[in-house]
Amino acid sequence: MDYKKSAAEIIEIIGGKENIVSAAHCATRLRMVIADNSKVNNEALEEVDGVKGVFEASGQLQIIFGTGVVNKVYDEFISIAGIATSSKEDVKKAAASKANPFQRFIKTLGDIFVPIIPAIVASGFLMGIMETLNFLINNGYVELSNESSLFVLANMFANTAYVFLPVLIGFSAAKVFGGNPFLGGVIGMIMVHPNLQNAWTMTGGVEKYLDVFGMWKVPLVGYQGHVISVIIAVFVMVTIEKWLHKHVPAMFDLFITPLVSVFVTGFLTMTVIGPVFNFVESGIINGIQALISIPLGIGSLIMGALYAPTVVTGIHHMYTIIDLGQIKEFGCTYWLPLASSANIAQGAAALAVALKTSDKKLKSMALPSSLSAFMGITEPAIFGVNMRFFKPFVCACIGGGCGAMFASVTSLGATGTGVTGIFGILLCLNAPVKYILMFAISAGVAFVLTWLFGYQNSKDVDKKAKETEKPAGFEKEPEMDGALHVSAPVSGKVVSLNETGDQTFAAEVIGKGAAIEPSEGKVYAPFDATIRSVMGHAIGLEGKNGVEVLIHIGIDTVKLEGKYYTPHCSQEQEVKAGDLLMEFDMEKIQAEGYRTITPVIVTNTDVYESILADMDRTVSAGEELLTINK
């Protein structure tokens, strides 16, 4: 492929280099932050050579090229755009600066939990394995000593990340909030200090209370498994730390700032923050559990169907709090199977599109995207395939809801969080058959619905559109009596090129032809041809008979950068006379101050003897417009 050409086309389609805030690339995608997203034509981007998919996420426009290609396109991209190279972190910061407060809050939660997910996953997997082994041993299915050193140590390792979760969260949160991560870790350690009654092992109720200045008492219980209270506590600590750094003299800063930050925060945490937010967190978790426990699985059906839309908005980053809270309250999370069902369904819908489509480019994107979703990474399937056609996305939401309903009715729970899809079964080894059935239901419903109702093969759509929308006049032979005939691509009044008000067209610099004052916003192929160029406002064709025609919809409409134009063709596509090439919104274009008069120019005029047209008449699309004498 021509990397430079692809890069240049991308820059033009996204609104020019002045519309680029920053750009970077990862292993497979070109990642950009755009100043004005309304200038971007995603459909046109998907037609650029080498592009396998386009979607927006986390404030970034992401264009999928694939490994080994994206870096070469990126090099040409920054060279043409004249911008400096940026890291992925730079792009993330630029995207965050454009986000609203709620989006920044959600992103912050994601930044806190994403780094610690591997630790949570490891413990969750091990907990699932140990629970399964205990079940097999206790029921006599296997003969294995649960007193062996390997078994005892594995049992101890299994819940370590959850017992000391406040330490992990404290370290990560302090780093995200801009404080000292080790001090954040200390706050987490205070919350699970051995002198506190262990929240995991407490069976006889609270034994110790702390009298706070004789005004109130708080239970001296650890915060194992808690999330919200740790984040709030560390945020307070970082706020104090930053204030002290600004006001404490440099020579005392090293001693005073850490001491005061940790002591004041620790005191506030154990006396106010912890008790208050422990109550809040328990209320939230119990409320969510009540919702997804509505009889007959109705609540889970609704939440399973709505899960994928929250992924689109980015809200799903906060769901780790629900998983961890449920594990603390109930010993397992009933939310993760719901999420897994939704992700599996998105993969199944994308798979249905991949198997049904005859578009090789779409197939090459949909198939790996579906496999990715089955592994728990749904963004490529959602943004690259399902949302693009929308109906597959809806079908997947229905499938996800059905799988979640089954999970709720059967009380399917997971021992950990962080992994969904195929490998999510490792967190449900206590009930693997239920997980497999949930997988089959969500995938089956999504696949069947998408196959039957969610996606129609592009060839079938094109054939149907051509049969229903092709005007009858295009059936005329394009060559008669030694002359070539060009049909009118749009309906309206035929006028001379002088009427366009554009000196280039009027002077016939590009070529001879005629113009049409359109009466409807549809452009059809005037003859059998190959599409040589598709811009936002113009189409270039080369006929099988050698005639080259430019259809320019409007005057100076290049400034609209494709807005109000909907192309139905792509570069190098073979089309038949009467095929619908483009639709345009006449009223909105005119409201912007532009004329919609459409010049139809024979660009290789010099190879013909004459090009004739009858002016000042009304034609319907498909009626003869130009007569070309060889």
Side-chain angles (χ1 to χ4, degrees):
M1 63 178 282
D2 188 335
Y3 305 111
K4 188 172 184 178
K5 180 182 178 183
S6 294
E9 289 178 359
I10 289 172
I11 292 172
E12 180 182 357
I13 293 169
I14 64 176
K17 57 186 179 182
E18 63 277 2
N19 200 31
I20 304 170
V21 176
S22 62
H25 74 88
C26 59
T28 59
R29 307 172 200 170
L30 177 62
R31 298 169 176 262
M32 294 175 284
V33 176
I34 304 299
D36 184 358
N37 288 323
S38 66
K39 295 182 178 180
V40 179
N41 186 336
N42 284 3
E43 291 183 359
L45 283 175
E46 290 172 351
E47 299 301 328
V48 173
D49 187 25
V51 173
K52 297 181 179 179
V54 179
F55 64 94
E56 294 180 29
S58 302
Q60 301 175 32
L61 175 65
Q62 301 186 23
I63 305 176
I64 305 171
F65 280 101
T67 306
V69 176
V70 65
N71 55 312
K72 296 175 182 177
V73 175
Y74 176 72
D75 290 341
E76 297 291 350
F77 182 88
I78 61 173
S79 175
I80 297 171
I83 59 175
T85 58
S86 303
S87 67
K88 286 188 288 183
E89 291 304 317
D90 293 333
V91 172
K92 286 182 180 179
K93 289 178 181 178
S97 66
K98 295 180 60 183
N100 59 45
F102 179 72
Q103 290 173 325
R104 289 198 294 269
F105 170 71
I106 297 300
K107 179 183 181 299
T108 298
L109 291 179
D111 291 343
I112 290 172
F113 286 110
V114 167
I116 66 176
I117 280 179
I120 297 172
V121 168
S123 280
F125 278 169
L126 196 51
M127 286 172 66
I129 292 170
M130 297 312 296
E131 283 191 15
T132 303
L133 287 176
N134 277 317
F135 173 81
L136 295 176
I137 293 171
N138 294 335
N139 288 275
Y141 294 115
V142 296
E143 292 186 7
L144 185 67
S145 173
N146 55 11
E147 296 181 357
S148 67
S149 58
L150 185 62
F151 194 96
V152 170
L153 289 175
N155 221 21
M156 182 179 71
F157 299 161
N159 67 346
T160 300
Y162 294 96
V163 171
F164 297 101
L165 182 63
V167 180
L168 298 176
I169 294 175
F171 185 94
S172 183
K175 193 173 181 180
V176 170
F177 293 142
N180 186 321
F182 296 98
L183 296 183
V186 171
I187 296 300
M189 293 175 191
I190 289 173
M191 299 179 75
V192 292
H193 196 282
N195 287 351
L196 299 173
Q197 200 170 348
N198 192 314
W200 291 110
T201 60
M202 184 174 59
T203 56
V206 179
E207 298 175 359
K208 297 180 182 179
Y209 286 88
L210 178 68
D211 189 325
V212 185
F213 305 129
M215 294 186 290
W216 72 89
K217 291 183 179 181
V218 294
L220 286 173
V221 178
Y223 290 85
Q224 288 87 355
H226 281 265
V227 176
I228 297 177
S229 54
V230 186
I231 295 174
I232 299 298
V234 173
F235 178 77
V236 171
M237 185 216 75
V238 171
T239 302
I240 295 172
E241 181 190 4
K242 289 180 177 179
W243 187 90
L244 290 172
H245 279 312
K246 291 180 180 179
H247 295 85
V248 174
M251 62 184 298
F252 301 117
D253 185 55
L254 177 63
F255 309 103
I256 293 178
T257 299
L259 172 64
V260 175
S261 299
V262 170
F263 182 79
V264 172
T265 303
F267 182 81
L268 292 174
T269 298
M270 299 309 300
T271 59
V272 180
I273 297 173
V276 170
F277 284 96
N278 177 36
F279 177 78
V280 172
E281 186 174 333
S282 295
I284 293 172
I285 298 304
N286 288 323
I288 291 172
Q289 184 61 24
L291 176 63
I292 63 179
S293 298
I294 294 175
L296 304 178
I298 302 301
S300 289
L301 171 67
I302 296 171
M303 296 311 297
L306 294 178
Y307 184 89
T310 65
V311 173
V312 175
T313 62
I315 297 175
H316 66 297
H317 288 302
M318 67 185 293
Y319 292 154
T320 304
I321 294 177
I322 299 175
D323 284 327
L324 297 174
Q326 289 207 326
I327 291 171
K328 172 182 69 69
E329 291 285 334
F330 314 118
C332 64
T333 169
Y334 299 102
W335 184 264
L336 184 120
L338 179 154
S340 192
S341 175
N343 291 346
I344 291 163
Q346 292 295 329
L351 179 62
V353 173
L355 297 180
K356 194 172 184 182
T357 185
S358 59
D359 186 326
K360 293 182 179 179
K361 186 173 182 178
L362 176 58
K363 188 184 292 289
S364 69
M365 180 175 63
L367 186 58
S369 295
S370 70
L371 297 177
S372 173
F374 286 140
M375 298 296 181
I377 308 299
T378 58
E379 282 81 359
I382 289 177
F383 294 107
V385 182
N386 298 342
M387 281 291 289
R388 176 179 171 185
F389 301 103
F390 191 68
K391 286 184 179 179
F393 181 75
V394 174
C395 293
C397 289
I398 296 172
C402 292
M405 185 183 206
F406 172 82
S408 176
V409 171
T410 58
S411 299
L412 177 62
T415 56
T417 185
V419 178
T420 60
I422 293 173
F423 293 112
I425 194 172
L426 297 176
L427 298 174
C428 300
L429 290 177
N430 54 333
V433 175
K434 292 180 183 178
Y435 191 88
I436 292 171
L437 290 175
M438 179 273 292
F439 193 115
I441 291 170
S442 58
V445 171
F447 184 92
V448 171
L449 288 179
T450 303
W451 187 274
L452 295 177
F453 311 109
Y455 177 77
Q456 191 171 359
N457 190 17
S458 57
K459 282 189 175 180
D460 298 333
V461 174
D462 291 343
K463 182 179 180 181
K464 184 178 179 181
K466 290 168 187 176
E467 289 174 350
T468 57
E469 295 194 42
K470 182 185 293 187
F474 285 104
E475 301 304 322
K476 183 186 296 185
E477 285 292 328
E479 180 172 352
M480 296 184 300
D481 303 324
L484 301 175
H485 298 271
V486 176
S487 299
V490 296
S491 299
K493 182 181 179 181
V494 182
V495 296
S496 73
L497 293 176
N498 291 324
E499 298 294 322
T500 62
D502 184 288
Q503 292 302 316
T504 301
F505 291 131
E508 300 181 340
V509 173
I510 299 175
K512 297 180 181 295
I516 300 176
E517 289 279 9
S519 57
E520 67 171 353
K522 292 183 178 181
V523 180
Y524 301 92
F527 42 68
D528 294 353
T530 301
I531 304 296
R532 293 307 185 193
S533 64
V534 180
M535 292 162 277
H537 61 293
I539 302 171
L541 310 92
E542 181 180 349
K544 303 299 183 183
N545 51 20
V547 178
E548 297 175 8
V549 168
L550 171 68
I551 305 171
H552 195 285
I553 309 156
I555 303 301
D556 286 334
T557 44
V558 64
K559 297 175 182 177
L560 291 173
E561 298 177 331
K563 192 160 68 168
Y564 309 133
Y565 292 87
T566 304
H568 295 289
C569 62
S570 57
Q571 190 168 325
E572 302 306 319
Q573 179 181 340
E574 301 287 334
V575 296
K576 296 290 186 181
D579 286 354
L580 181 65
L581 302 183
M582 184 175 289
E583 292 180 276
F584 58 100
D585 193 318
M586 295 174 57
E587 292 183 0
K588 290 183 179 179
I589 293 172
Q590 291 167 357
E592 293 272 3
Y594 297 96
R595 296 182 64 192
T596 54
I597 187 171
T598 301
V600 181
I601 309 293
V602 178
T603 54
N604 59 341
T605 293
D606 55 339
V607 303
Y608 299 108
E609 179 178 325
S610 63
I611 297 171
L612 307 174
D614 292 332
M615 304 299 175
D616 298 320
R617 61 191 175 96
T618 299
V619 295
S620 296
E623 293 182 8
E624 183 180 328
L625 175 67
L626 303 175
T627 299
I628 304 175
N629 293 309
K630 297 182 180 180

